[in-house]
């Protein structure tokens, strides 16, 4: 499995580099839980890719979100979002190939294989590999998001930090494989530079703040990540209800499914709604489970252009005492003030 990076002195220094982002005047008005916090990588280019041997990648466990506590299941009413809405379009890569015409996604809670690898939007989706807080190899899903730095992947907070651990809970050795498909790496490996989530996750493990982003280094021979893959747009502070969202991920398991391997891209479609009075989370129905954490929820995805707007992500679902799902509702944090602060920091 290789030597965990946190045993190397160079990476021990990186794990300790945790700092709050400098808030803007507008951000200071937002709830303290929405403030961005970050971890920076100081590794030499190439060390992360070398760390991720084929054996270590095969052994990477699909990340499952930590169990909710009773208090987290019935939280107090969330603070009001006060930052102005933030929206942006996607950016197609040079020479991007659109998906074939006539693809009609299934409606409802049953996932189907995307299959159109090598074209948008699959180009922007990928597997995010990392060592968890204990040094064990793990993986999540993520998507390239349109930013000025052109090297950013949007994902879940629990894919970056264990939650409720402050500066001690950061994962490390992040590597992104875009357009991943059954072990193939058509666009190479991208090594991290900075990971950002918010205090509501790192200090309280509050699922209303389970979101984050990772900035990656450009590749000398390929350029910026966004130049290679394109990117998804974003709509933050636009609420919780959207008519037709495409919900993506790399599922390793799911409700009564035996065809999920964690190695290929699947999706569900359907509307989202407000999760309830005591939370501002979004709910979307889908039978995908472990491995999809961090996969994007895209509003207004059009197959002829291949990009939509990120409005949510795969965060968590309710389980009973035996660990079985109580329904097919998948929850996402509301992409409000917290998402805006993460985006502003990472950009």
């Amino acid at each position: 499995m290789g030597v965990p990076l946190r045993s190397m002195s160079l990476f021990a220094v990186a794990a300790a580099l945790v700092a709050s982002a400098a808030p803007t005047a507008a951000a200071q008005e937002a709830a303290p839980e929405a403030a961005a916090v970050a971890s920076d990588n100081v590794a030499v280019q190439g060390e992360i890719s070398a760390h991720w041997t084929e054996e270590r990648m095969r052994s990477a466990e699909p990340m499952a979100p930590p169990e909710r506590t009773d208090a987290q299941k019935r939280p107090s009413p969330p603070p009001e979002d006060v930052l102005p809405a933030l929206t942006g379009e996607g950016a197609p890569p040079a020479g991007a190939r659109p998906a074939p015409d006539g693809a009609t996604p299934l409606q409802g809670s049953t996932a189907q294989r995307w299959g159109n690898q090598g074209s948008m939007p699959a180009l922007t989706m990928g597997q995010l590999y990392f060592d968890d807080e204990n040094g064990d190899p793990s993986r999540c899903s993520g998507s390239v998001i349109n930013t000025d730095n052109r090297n950013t992947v949007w994902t879940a907070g629990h894919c970056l930090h264990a939650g409720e651990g402050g500066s001690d809970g950061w994962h490390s050795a992040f590597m992104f494989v875009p357009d991943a498909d059954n072990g193939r790496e058509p666009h190479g490996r991208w090594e991290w530079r900075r990971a950002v989530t918010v205090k509501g996750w790192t200090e309280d493990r509050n699922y209303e703040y389970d979101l984050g982003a990772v900035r990656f280094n450009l590749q000398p021979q390929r350029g910026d990540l966004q130049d290679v893959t394109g990117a998804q747009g974003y709509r933050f502070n636009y609420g919780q209800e959207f008519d037709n969202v495409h919900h993506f991920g790399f599922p390793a398991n799911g409700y009564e499914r035996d065809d999920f391997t964690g190695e290929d891209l699947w999706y569900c479609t359907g509307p989202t709604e407000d999760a309830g009075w005591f939370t501002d989370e979004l709910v979307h129905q889908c039978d995908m489970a472990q491995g999809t954490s961090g996969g994007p929820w895209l509003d207004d995805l059009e197959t002829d252009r291949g990009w939509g707007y990120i409005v949510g992500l795969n965060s968590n679902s309710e389980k009973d005492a035996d660990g079985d799902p109580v329904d097919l509702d998948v929850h996402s944090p509301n992409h409000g003030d917290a998402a805006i602060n993460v985006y502003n920091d990472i950009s």
Side-chain angles (χ1 to χ4, degrees):
M1 289 174 58
V3 179
L5 285 184
R6 66 178 63 240
S7 68
M8 303 177 185
S9 58
L10 181 60
F11 293 96
V13 173
L17 290 175
V18 181
S20 297
T24 64
Q28 289 175 342
E29 300 175 3
E33 296 91 339
V37 290
S39 176
D40 291 299
N41 175 35
V42 296
V44 175
Q45 182 82 357
E47 290 185 353
I48 300 292
S49 293
H51 171 71
W52 284 104
T53 63
E54 290 186 12
E55 180 183 1
R56 190 169 186 81
M57 292 175 72
R58 284 195 302 269
S59 68
E61 289 290 331
M63 174 63 70
E67 292 293 328
R68 283 179 180 264
T69 66
D70 289 340
Q72 289 167 334
K73 289 179 181 179
R74 298 193 63 83
S76 59
E80 180 182 0
D81 288 329
V82 298
L83 300 182
L86 184 66
T87 187
E89 293 187 347
R97 289 166 288 175
D101 293 335
T104 304
L106 295 175
Q107 299 296 315
S109 61
T110 302
Q112 69 179 40
R113 176 81 167 90
W114 183 257
N116 299 322
Q117 304 304 128
S119 62
M120 295 276 280
L123 276 170
T124 67
M125 313 292 172
Q127 292 180 314
L128 177 67
Y129 289 87
F130 56 93
D131 288 348
D132 70 13
E133 74 279 14
N134 298 314
D136 296 324
S138 304
R139 54 189 163 97
C140 279
S141 301
S143 174
V144 182
I145 186 172
N146 189 25
T147 57
D148 289 342
N149 67 55
R150 305 183 66 79
N151 286 291
T152 295
V153 169
W154 200 257
T155 191
H158 71 262
C159 298
L160 309 179
H161 188 285
E164 221 169 23
S167 61
D168 295 329
W170 286 99
H171 307 324
S172 61
F174 299 102
M175 182 182 75
F176 185 64
V177 179
D179 202 17
D181 182 33
N182 291 287
R184 290 187 285 273
E185 302 173 12
H187 307 291
R189 302 176 173 192
W190 298 77
E191 301 181 5
W192 77 297
R193 178 173 174 176
R194 182 176 178 86
V196 182
T197 182
V198 291
K199 287 184 177 180
W201 181 255
T202 61
E203 296 183 4
D204 302 324
R205 206 171 72 181
N206 185 336
Y207 282 92
E208 292 172 351
Y209 297 98
D210 185 19
L211 54 80
V214 184
R215 180 176 178 178
F216 291 86
N217 293 313
L218 62 82
Q219 290 191 8
Q221 298 189 358
R222 284 192 169 99
D224 292 328
L225 175 60
Q226 199 166 314
D227 295 332
V228 174
T229 66
Q232 298 301 325
Y234 51 89
R235 283 176 175 158
F236 298 161
N237 249 349
Y238 274 66
Q240 295 98 323
E241 298 182 359
F242 300 90
D243 292 336
N244 188 33
V245 162
H246 285 67
H247 162 160
F248 288 91
F250 291 80
N253 55 47
Y255 179 69
E256 295 187 349
R257 299 292 294 256
D258 58 8
D259 50 349
F260 294 154
T261 65
E263 298 294 338
D264 42 26
L265 185 65
W266 293 70
Y267 74 106
C268 287
T269 62
T272 68
E273 60 184 27
D274 192 326
W277 289 353
F278 292 95
T279 178
D280 64 354
E281 290 175 288
L282 292 68
V283 171
H284 186 253
Q285 267 208 345
C286 192
D287 59 358
M288 298 189 293
Q290 192 169 340
T292 62
S293 290
W297 296 9
L298 302 182
D299 182 42
D300 196 21
L301 174 65
E302 296 181 8
T303 56
D304 60 343
R305 70 185 184 197
W307 58 264
Y309 298 92
I310 295 175
V311 296
L313 56 82
N314 301 317
S315 171
N316 67 94
S317 57
E318 295 286 351
K319 304 287 178 59
D320 62 21
D322 297 323
D324 297 321
V326 299
D327 51 38
L328 295 183
D329 289 347
V330 181
H331 292 245
S332 166
N334 175 40
H335 280 42
D337 289 355
I340 290 172
N341 285 337
V342 168
Y343 184 87
N344 287 340
D345 180 289
I346 204 74
S347 294

